[in-house]
Amino acid sequence: MPTRIKKASNIGFCMGVRRAIDIITDVADKQGGVETLGALVHNQQVLKKLAEHGVSIVDNVSDIKGKTVVVSAHGVGPRVTEEIESRGLTAIDTTCPFVKRAQVAARKLADAGFYTVVFGDVDHPEVKGILGWADGKGMATLDARDLSKLEELPRKLGLLSQTTQIPKAFSRFVKDVIDIALVKDAEIRVIDTLCHDIRRRQADTLKMAKDSDIVFVIGGRNSANTKHLFELCSTVADTRLIETAAEIDPAWLKNKQKIGVTAGASTDDETIDDVMARLRDVTGE
Ligand code: SF4
């Protein structure tokens, strides 16, 4: 039986990453370089290409040397924006509209007296930014049991999700929180802040993975949405997370007829094309 290599239908840059890269490339080319607060995206190949346009990364506002700073697609909290303004810097904001929506939701919850719980990775810049909008009245976790560690369980709880989480995992989290918190006069508000692109990408990828013997997920190992694609595919097929074509070991393809390929939202077309070419090369397709 000949080998079949299939690419997921939703692959390559998402709207938010495409938009951020277009903005920053334009600014960097016009100004002869620009600094970004944190990495614009979690993908080394894309960051290398941006560096060729003179884009450099700083970790803190105090490290910025120029007069302009780019806020990444992951967004920042209001305190960081204030810090940028107080230094008299021009901020170019590439925060993704889906992330902005989660930030606005956190602010509204805080204004209405809710304690915000973000279902997400506490160390991820997007989650830190969203929590910043909760005005210090919130936490991030992937485990509802962490609520029990609070000194006192807040009566009003607002639940949001990091934009790139798996929808089913968020639903499970919400159910777990209800079990823990619906005890005494509780009020729980759930706001769906999952990214539409990621929802589609995950659904298409899972469908493809179910009909594959092996799936290659291309993307940064520190990219949240790439890791979630890997998790999803691993439930139904042999799955490999790779950053570049060079990582493909031909031994993985032994006795594999149906090969699936997908990629995180910050993986560029060139890297995807390289992987497709290498797979064709190794399989003789
Ligand atoms: S994955 Fe979604 S939330 Fe993240 S940058 Fe892309 S469109 Fe925005």
Side-chain angles (χ1 to χ4, degrees):
M1 186 177 160
T3 309
R4 183 221 67 187
I5 307 171
K6 191 175 175 187
K7 237 180 358 177
S9 43
N10 261 296
I11 196 164
F13 288 156
C14 62
M15 171 277 294
V17 168
R18 162 62 55 212
R19 178 176 164 273
I21 288 175
D22 286 350
I23 295 172
I24 197 168
T25 309
D26 188 48
V27 173
D29 289 347
K30 280 185 184 140
Q31 299 191 357
V34 72
E35 292 157 285
T36 67
L37 193 54
L40 191 75
V41 290
H42 290 153
N43 184 290
Q44 288 309 315
Q45 288 67 41
V46 173
L47 293 178
K48 265 186 218 152
K49 282 183 191 153
L50 288 174
E52 287 163 17
H53 288 267
V55 176
S56 57
I57 302 167
V58 292
D59 291 329
N60 302 296
V61 176
S62 55
D63 299 331
I64 300 165
K65 295 188 186 73
K67 298 247 172 292
T68 306
V69 64
V70 175
V71 171
S72 84
H74 298 127
V76 293
R79 301 277 172 279
V80 177
T81 307
E82 280 163 24
E83 216 184 325
I84 292 171
E85 283 168 5
S86 74
R87 281 205 49 199
L89 302 170
T90 303
I92 295 174
D93 189 358
T94 71
T95 305
C96 173
F98 287 115
V99 176
K100 189 75 90 186
R101 186 181 61 154
Q103 293 177 343
V104 169
R107 167 46 56 93
K108 283 186 179 162
L109 285 170
D111 288 349
F114 282 80
Y115 181 86
T116 300
V117 182
V118 181
F119 176 61
D121 174 0
V122 70
D123 293 320
H124 194 281
E126 176 199 315
V127 174
K128 287 183 187 171
I130 294 170
L131 273 180
W133 289 92
D135 216 12
K137 290 172 277 182
M139 66 182 285
T141 181
L142 291 165
D143 187 344
R145 287 172 300 185
D146 284 344
L147 281 172
S148 321
K149 294 179 190 158
L150 292 172
E151 218 167 277
E152 195 181 345
L153 194 61
R155 192 183 71 75
K156 292 171 89 174
L157 285 175
L159 310 184
L160 307 177
S161 176
Q162 182 178 0
T163 55
T164 50
Q165 290 292 333
I166 297 170
K168 266 195 184 152
F170 182 47
S171 307
R172 269 197 304 274
F173 177 80
V174 169
K175 284 178 196 134
D176 289 347
V177 171
I178 289 172
D179 285 345
I180 291 168
L182 213 58
V183 281
K184 197 174 131 202
D185 303 329
E187 185 177 347
I188 300 173
R189 192 176 290 179
V190 182
I191 304 177
D192 174 7
T193 50
L194 290 160
C195 162
H196 297 180
D197 178 290
I198 291 297
R199 255 185 206 278
R200 268 196 308 273
R201 192 177 294 249
Q202 289 180 353
D204 289 348
T205 291
L206 188 60
K207 196 169 156 207
M208 181 201 67
K210 281 180 179 163
D211 187 34
S212 302
D213 298 322
I214 184 166
V215 177
F216 288 91
V217 179
I218 318 164
R221 289 196 165 78
N222 58 346
S223 152
N225 76 83
T226 303
K227 283 191 277 186
H228 290 137
L229 287 177
F230 175 76
E231 271 172 46
L232 269 179
C233 294
S234 299
T235 61
V236 293
D238 180 4
T239 306
R240 310 287 163 151
L241 197 165
I242 54 170
E243 293 198 349
T244 64
E247 293 173 37
I248 296 171
D249 181 347
W252 297 341
L253 296 164
K254 208 171 160 213
N255 301 325
K256 307 284 193 207
Q257 256 82 49
K258 293 189 276 183
I259 303 170
V261 178
T262 187
S266 51
T267 305
D268 61 326
D269 287 346
E270 202 181 320
T271 305
I272 297 166
D273 291 346
D274 285 351
V275 168
M276 293 301 286
R278 168 116 171 104
L279 288 172
R280 278 189 216 104
D281 195 33
V282 172
T283 59
E285 272 303 289

